[in-house]
């Protein structure tokens, strides 16, 4: 459980770093939108910054959804912690599609207060195979590499 937590923390840090350019451009856009000097010029610039920030934010968002389908079924955080994701049915590496499904279900489950924050970690600790709901849905499992 500790290595899974650290891998998740590392992947979160990676996403945070990848999101910095988008956050900076968004802040610049907000700054431009708050000026009242020339309505059309300032809002036009702000819109450009917001659009470019959105495009740059697609990079960490994409990483979030396909990270476990990279390389040998390992995100960069899992690789650093010696973990990987496999498909349960044939022990092959996790695909980008399975990674996206796993991330989508994990995100949706984490939005449900009690389930995402308490029950998911308990499932990892108490089930014999250590699979959470997202793993069961995607047919995946975290293993040592």
């Amino acid at each position: 459980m500790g290595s899974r937590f650290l891998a998740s923390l590392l992947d979160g840090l990676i996403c945070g770093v990848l999101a910095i350019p988008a956050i900076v451009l968004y802040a610049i856009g907000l700054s431009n939108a708050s000026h009242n000097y020339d309505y059309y010029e300032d809002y036009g610039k702000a819109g450009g910054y917001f659009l470019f920030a959105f495009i740059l934010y697609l990079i960490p968002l994409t990483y979030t959804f396909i990270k476990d389908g990279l390389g040998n079924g390992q995100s960069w955080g899992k690789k650093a912690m010696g973990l990987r994701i496999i498909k349960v049915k044939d022990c092959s590496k996790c695909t980008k599609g399975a990674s996206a499904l796993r991330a989508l279900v994990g995100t949706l489950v984490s939005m449900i207060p009690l389930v995402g924050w308490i029950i998911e970690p308990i499932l990892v600790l108490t089930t014999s195979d250590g699979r959470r709901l997202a793993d069961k849905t995607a047919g995946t499992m975290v293993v040592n590499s």
Side-chain angles (χ1 to χ4, degrees):
M1 178 78 168
S3 57
R4 286 176 78 166
F5 175 75
L6 288 175
S8 178
L9 195 62
L10 286 171
D11 283 328
L13 183 63
I14 290 166
C15 281
V17 168
L18 291 173
I20 288 172
I23 294 167
V24 169
L25 284 176
Y26 184 78
I28 292 170
L30 284 177
S31 174
N32 275 302
S34 66
H35 293 299
N36 291 323
Y37 305 123
D38 184 349
Y39 179 83
Y40 293 106
E41 183 180 335
D42 290 338
Y43 282 102
K45 283 182 187 176
Y49 284 116
F50 291 147
L51 178 62
F52 198 48
F54 173 75
I55 291 168
L56 285 177
Y57 187 70
L58 293 176
I59 295 169
L61 186 64
T62 300
Y63 177 74
T64 298
F65 280 93
I66 67 165
K67 70 184 185 317
D68 293 325
L70 298 174
N72 196 26
Q74 296 172 297
S75 65
W76 294 332
K78 285 182 183 65
K79 187 171 188 165
M81 297 309 301
L83 302 172
R84 68 187 208 121
I85 308 292
I86 61 168
K87 290 183 183 179
V88 174
K89 73 175 181 182
D90 60 3
C91 293
S92 63
K93 69 178 187 163
C94 181
T95 63
K96 290 181 179 97
S99 176
L101 178 60
R102 188 174 185 270
L104 179 64
V105 171
T107 300
L108 293 174
V109 167
S110 69
M111 290 180 184
I112 306 168
L114 186 61
V115 174
W117 306 336
I118 297 173
I119 296 176
E120 279 279 89
I122 290 173
L123 279 174
V124 172
L125 293 171
T126 59
T127 58
S128 62
D129 56 7
R131 294 170 67 201
R132 57 190 183 106
L133 292 174
D135 284 316
K136 291 178 188 287
T137 303
T140 59
M141 182 173 172
V142 179
V143 297
N144 292 321
S145 55

